[in-house]
Amino acid sequence: MKFPSLNPYYRTALLLIVMAGILIITAVLTNRSDFTSAELVVAGLVCLLTGVFFTTLSGSDPLDLRYLSLFPAQGSINLTRTCADLGIQGNASIIPKGREGRTRTMQFIPVAVYNGEPLPMDSFVTGPDTAGILMDPSCAPLLRLLQEREHLVIPPDMPALHSLIRELGVDVLEVAGRVRSTHEGEIISVTLEEYRLIGGCRVLAEESPRCCTTNPCPVCSLFASVFAEGTGKVIQLERCAPDPKRPTVMAVFSVLSE
């Protein structure tokens, strides 16, 4: 049997039901048989009915997040293993749309170091300067849906981008209780506290930290894409580290200068 979680609705319902019991018991014990006793009983019934109403709003998530968080895990692990077998060891970089005439934002996984040099349109990039695999980021369907349904508009200045990241994480996607986004020079840090999909992050970290930096999950990929489209520059994922004890994840990105 699955009991409702102690969310604010459940706590409020519990408090009202307790108050109802106190009011009705007080009316019975005093036994005044007057208007005051009747008021206590009516107040108790009102509290009881309101508590029952709040109980209907206190159900837990329709999907168990322990399972939901694992949905993208194996796909990222498989791609990371394939890249490792092919000798592709670089960190994923997000190429914004409009750059080099691209019509959509792309993800580039380089063989080694990538500094933001121009890339051809081919999926398999080979050249004297850099080589790797060019593909759609894992957030591509999510980003399209946000643009079509939520009319997502990505601002061009960094302070507004930080605000947008917090809004996406907490209010729109509701994947975290709190999101802190900061930048210092060319380094951007995003910390997700009370992260609801922490289970998937820990599975990837246990397999290899390279899973996150080679093929970021849809959430980190979305944040990187937002920063890339907002700044018009290539954004590279440098590190993603879930806390082993708390539901907190920190992702570190870098803005490539080329």
Side-chain angles (χ1 to χ4, degrees), residues 97-159:
K97 67 178 180 180
R99 189 180 178 92
E100 302 154 12
R102 301 184 188 280
T103 58
R104 66 185 190 274
T105 296
M106 301 292 289
Q107 173 179 292
F108 178 59
I109 308 175
V111 170
V113 177
Y114 176 60
N115 296 314
E117 299 91 348
L119 299 174
M121 299 295 182
D122 302 329
S123 297
F124 295 95
V125 177
T126 57
D129 297 325
T130 188
I133 301 177
L134 190 65
M135 63 183 69
D136 288 300
S138 60
C139 73
L142 176 59
L143 182 58
R144 284 196 299 269
L145 182 61
L146 288 171
Q147 291 170 335
E148 294 170 3
R149 183 176 178 180
E150 304 295 337
H151 305 289
L152 175 66
V153 176
I154 300 176
D157 57 296
M158 190 61 76

Side-chain angles (χ1 to χ4, degrees), residues 50-72:
T50 306
V52 171
F53 172 74
F54 274 106
T55 301
T56 63
L57 302 176
S58 65
S60 57
D61 294 306
L63 295 175
D64 194 323
L65 295 176
R66 293 174 299 176
Y67 304 137
L68 184 63
S69 65
L70 299 179
F71 280 10

Side-chain angles (χ1 to χ4, degrees), residues 31-54:
N31 195 24
R32 294 168 59 92
S33 300
D34 57 6
F35 186 73
T36 302
S37 297
E39 284 184 331
L40 288 174
V41 172
V42 171
L45 291 175
V46 170
C47 288
L48 179 61
L49 293 174
T50 306
V52 171
F53 172 74
F54 274 106

Side-chain angles (χ1 to χ4, degrees), residues 1-22:
M1 183 176 179
K2 194 173 183 179
F3 295 97
S5 59
L6 291 178
N7 55 43
Y9 290 118
Y10 186 76
R11 291 194 293 267
T12 302
L14 184 62
L15 178 61
L16 288 170
I17 292 172
V18 171
M19 286 296 299
I22 293 174

